[in-house]
Amino acid sequence: MATPPIVVHRPAPSGARLVTVRINGRDERLGLAHSDHDVIVFLADAGLTDPERALDTESLVEWQGAAAHEYPET
């Protein structure tokens, strides 16, 4: 199974999650997300046409280290 091109990484102690996208075999940082809104903005800025729907599309987005849509402070 191929790795989804967009990864929302495990939460940092602040709850923020790094968002990366794989382009031409390299991971590019899109930013630190503190909410789904941040992820949607990053994906829209990267040119994704329907970023809200992409958040729950497993073939596009992989959520690591915590459940999808969670930004827990530790």
Side-chain angles (χ1 to χ4, degrees), residues 9-71:
H9 296 267
R10 65 181 172 81
S14 67
R17 299 177 79 160
L18 175 64
V19 181
T20 59
V21 63
R22 181 158 289 263
I23 300 172
N24 297 325
R26 292 184 41 184
D27 290 331
E28 300 288 333
R29 295 172 68 121
L30 297 179
L32 283 175
H34 297 271
S35 66
D36 281 353
H37 174 76
D38 292 340
V39 179
I40 290 166
V41 169
F42 297 154
L43 298 181
D45 288 348
L48 204 62
T49 53
D50 193 359
E52 289 182 41
R53 179 171 281 169
L55 291 183
D56 292 314
T57 305
E58 290 181 13
S59 62
L60 292 176
V61 178
E62 177 183 354
W63 295 83
Q64 295 181 342
H69 315 288
E70 289 188 7
Y71 304 84

